[in-house]
Amino acid sequence: MNINVSNFRQEVSKVRLSKSAFDELLNAKNTFEPDIDDSRFDAKPAYIEPRHSPFLSEELRNIRNMIDHESHVLILDGFKVDNLASFKSLVWTFGSLLGAPMVQNHLGHKVIEVYDRGGKSIEDGARYHQTRQGAYVHNDGVSDPLPIDYLILACGQKALLGGESILIDASAVYAELMAFPDILEELKCDFFFENRGMAEEEQLFKAPILSFSSEGIPLIRYFRVYIESAHFKAGVPLTRSQSQALDFLDTVLDQSTVQHRVLLEPGQVLISADNKFLHTRTHFIDVNAPRAEIDDAETLSDLNRYMLRMWLRKQ
Ligand SMILES: [Fe+2]
């Protein structure tokens, strides 16, 4: 198996759309913006005719290639707009051109707003994106048996303090665990997972934590709290060797040698292959008191830490 472990400590590549491609994106945004107030902004995917948007088509192809076959992660810079409605529309247009947006909750939403609502904790059943908690390393594709090809996290506003993104390459994790073959074997066996927040009806499914793509690249599926909760609901407690394997994995994930930290600035969009990169964030403190709802007319610079998240599949 050919695993490249020399890459994971490199800087996350930063790229920017060319002026021509960005203008084509803005055109598409203006074309696809819903003019009826009661339809959600993520109801209809954008579409471009490659002949009419040649720069954007080519640059989207390059981004897909980098995520699929090269770095598996990158930061796209330059998504600066004034108000929230414009930001939502820009990110939706870009995301729905990059891939096919997936539904992310039981309400059918394809873009999720990530900010602290000031409500309950993850331990009490909240989904991660509604809190300001850090420390749980995970990938997002834990709630669905099929993987997410492109995870998008677009920064509208950063926190007053903290809220760094921590990225961990599954290849680096695998390389560290090669010294512990029994642990690796355990992680390649099935664990229970749950579809938390994805449907009214709760469903459990089984999948391994570590697996490999057809090209031999390590793939990962992990969110310890969700796995423990799924095992509890299934009435199948984790065995001692499963718990031990998770402890080894958590300890590896805690090492600086596998972690890469970035603080996303407003207008930056993190794109990663969700099944090849785990992520988490550090705790954060916002400027203002948390709110459950934010009005679309608000200026981005007035907001607390605010991100938009999309899950995409290759088209
Ligand atoms: Fe996440």
Side-chain angles (χ1 to χ4, degrees), residues 128 138-140 151 223 274 279-280 309 311:
Y128 192 74
H138 66 280
N139 50 339
D140 283 10
L151 167 66
F223 198 149
D274 179 67
H279 62 267
T280 185
R309 184 182 77 191
W311 295 344

Side-chain angles (χ1 to χ4, degrees), residues 177-196:
L177 287 174
M178 278 172 81
F180 309 100
D182 294 352
I183 300 295
L184 272 182
E185 283 317 303
E186 194 66 60
L187 295 173
K188 288 180 199 167
C189 296
D190 278 348
F191 286 76
F192 276 103
F193 289 83
E194 62 180 19
N195 64 336
R196 188 183 291 213

Side-chain angles (χ1 to χ4, degrees), residues 44-84:
K44 263 198 204 151
Y47 171 77
I48 50 169
E49 183 62 57
R51 274 179 307 141
H52 300 142
S53 302
F55 295 99
L56 182 56
S57 300
E58 175 64 19
E59 290 174 36
L60 287 169
R61 213 176 5 251
N62 289 342
I63 290 170
R64 288 186 205 105
N65 192 51
M66 283 179 78
I67 301 297
D68 293 347
H69 304 297
E70 293 171 10
S71 57
H72 306 138
V73 65
L74 61 84
I75 291 171
L76 187 59
D77 218 336
F79 279 48
K80 271 274 186 170
V81 284
D82 293 335
N83 70 25
L84 187 51

Side-chain angles (χ1 to χ4, degrees), residues 3 17 35 64 74 109 115 154-155 179 220 230 242 252 256 286 290 301 312:
I3 298 161
L17 293 177
D35 37 25
R64 288 186 205 105
L74 61 84
H109 297 165
Y115 63 92
C155 177
I220 197 153
Q242 281 178 319
V252 167
S256 65
D286 279 320
S301 54
L312 309 175

